[in-house]
Amino acid sequence: MRFTKMHGIGNDYVYVNCFAEKMPADPAALSIKVADRHFGIGGDGLILICPSEKADARMRMFNADGSESEMCGNGLRCVAKYVYDHGIARKPRLQLETGRGVLTVDLEVKNDKVARVRVNMGEPILEPARIPTTFGGTQVVDAPLTVGGQTYAVTCVSMGNPHAVIYIPDAAAVPLEAVGPGLETAPVFPRRANIHFVQVHSPNEVTMRTWERGSGITLACGTGACGVCVAGVLTGRTGRKLLAHLPGGDLELEWSAADNNVYMTGPATEVFSGDWAD
Ligand SMILES: N[C@H](CCC[C@H](N)C(=O)O)C(=O)O
């Protein structure tokens, strides 16, 4: 099976072009295998680029533990780049089907290849039960959550997938390996959650680190950065336009007051292709 390795600011996945390759019979099991950085190809998971009846292509995304997610922001920028660069659809504006519906993607092309991508990630979902969380009320904003004897103030947002945002003075000081798993699987998150620790530098600039649902520590999380932008507005810590510094690079976010959509802009990189022998 031919695959292509791509990353969005270091959030790397194994991509399979299912316009050309057969759909894997068990993508969850395949994701676990190919994601392994010693016995497989290495990556944060598997992303299938599939034909779609209602869009230029459809993205199906699987974490390193085989769980499927509704959405992946860094992955969608890479899918857009692959679809354009490899001639599946040579248009500067693409429609891409995801687990949260069809999203519109604008491409910045340089020397005939996509360099940067701007994604309309859709509207944030804030109702607790739709994130989903078991918190009551109409929104989850700086709500106390105690895990492992430590109480955190969490702000929860869904971008099609669940996120918990925690503000701290120093993002570098968080022992992610130690606290991530307990927060990801806290009972208050019936479908687990992606966990983000955020340090605010100014009303328009943050540094964030992530423990992802199903993949653990990643160098970047696109939907998470969108959630952080929304959480910043809800908590009054940052503005509707945000520059987020992630370990793997930067993303530009905007939660538009005009249309309530969240926009994410960043790079997408193709590294190499190969044949998966298994
Ligand atoms: N682990 C996430 C999916 C990948 C999200 C992230 N890599 C992104 O760029 O949005 C979840 O299970 O919701």
Side-chain angles (χ1 to χ4, degrees):
M1 176 191 76
R2 287 294 289 171
F3 70 86
T4 299
K5 189 75 195 311
M6 302 181 82
H7 72 84
I9 52 172
N11 187 202
D12 61 329
Y13 293 94
V14 174
Y15 292 75
V16 178
N17 173 3
C18 293
F19 286 82
E21 301 290 326
K22 268 194 345 334
M23 276 291 288
D26 185 350
L30 180 63
S31 186
I32 294 169
K33 277 187 183 176
V34 300
D36 189 300
R37 295 189 187 279
H38 298 286
F39 297 97
I41 299 166
D44 292 327
L46 169 72
I47 291 184
L48 305 180
I49 302 171
C50 314
S52 164
E53 269 143 42
K54 50 186 174 179
D56 296 303
R58 176 187 176 203
M59 173 180 76
R60 285 190 68 190
M61 186 271 163
F62 298 83
N63 292 305
D65 71 354
S67 59
E68 183 168 7
S69 175
E70 306 83 348
M71 203 17 222
C72 178
N74 289 315
L76 201 64
R77 295 199 315 277
C78 290
V79 168
K81 174 177 175 63
Y82 188 97
V83 165
Y84 183 92
D85 289 3
H86 291 262
I88 294 172
R90 298 278 294 185
K91 301 185 291 188
R93 167 165 284 192
L94 297 173
Q95 303 298 322
L96 295 175
E97 182 185 353
T98 74
R100 72 157 308 177
V102 177
L103 299 179
T104 300
V105 178
D106 289 317
L107 310 178
E108 207 179 290
V109 178
K110 279 197 189 111
N111 309 324
D112 204 31
K113 292 215 182 290
V114 171
R116 285 173 66 78
V117 183
R118 182 174 190 262
V119 185
N120 177 344
M121 297 284 282
E123 299 186 72
I125 297 162
L126 302 176
E127 300 84 81
R130 291 183 59 211
I131 291 176
T133 75
T134 57
F135 283 108
T138 54
Q139 292 179 349
V140 185
V141 178
D142 279 337
L145 171 62
T146 300
V147 173
Q150 173 81 31
T151 299
Y152 303 86
V154 299
T155 299
C156 296
V157 179
S158 168
M159 293 304 298
N161 58 343
H163 298 276
V165 178
I166 299 165
Y167 290 92
I168 39 118
D170 177 4
V174 180
L176 268 182
E177 290 276 2
V179 303
L183 284 161
E184 172 196 355
T185 58
V188 74
F189 303 125
R191 298 182 61 195
R192 302 187 288 169
N194 300 282
I195 311 298
H196 311 285
F197 287 92
V198 182
Q199 176 182 347
V200 178
H201 301 298
S202 81
N204 297 101
E205 188 175 1
V206 300
T207 291
M208 61 182 277
R209 291 175 63 218
T210 295
W211 176 273
E212 277 200 29
R213 175 178 68 169
S215 290
I217 294 175
T218 61
L219 294 186
C221 183
T223 50
C226 295
V228 165
C229 179
V230 171
V233 175
L234 295 177
T235 60
R237 290 187 174 86
T238 49
R240 285 187 169 269
K241 287 190 177 182
L242 189 68
L243 173 62
H245 302 298
L246 301 95
D250 294 349
L251 289 174
E252 293 164 27
L253 297 312
E254 178 178 2
W255 181 16
S256 165
D259 61 17
N260 196 41
N261 289 320
V262 181
Y263 294 86
M264 171 194 65
T265 304
T269 307
E270 180 173 332
V271 185
F272 68 92
S273 289
D275 284 304
W276 172 251
D278 189 325

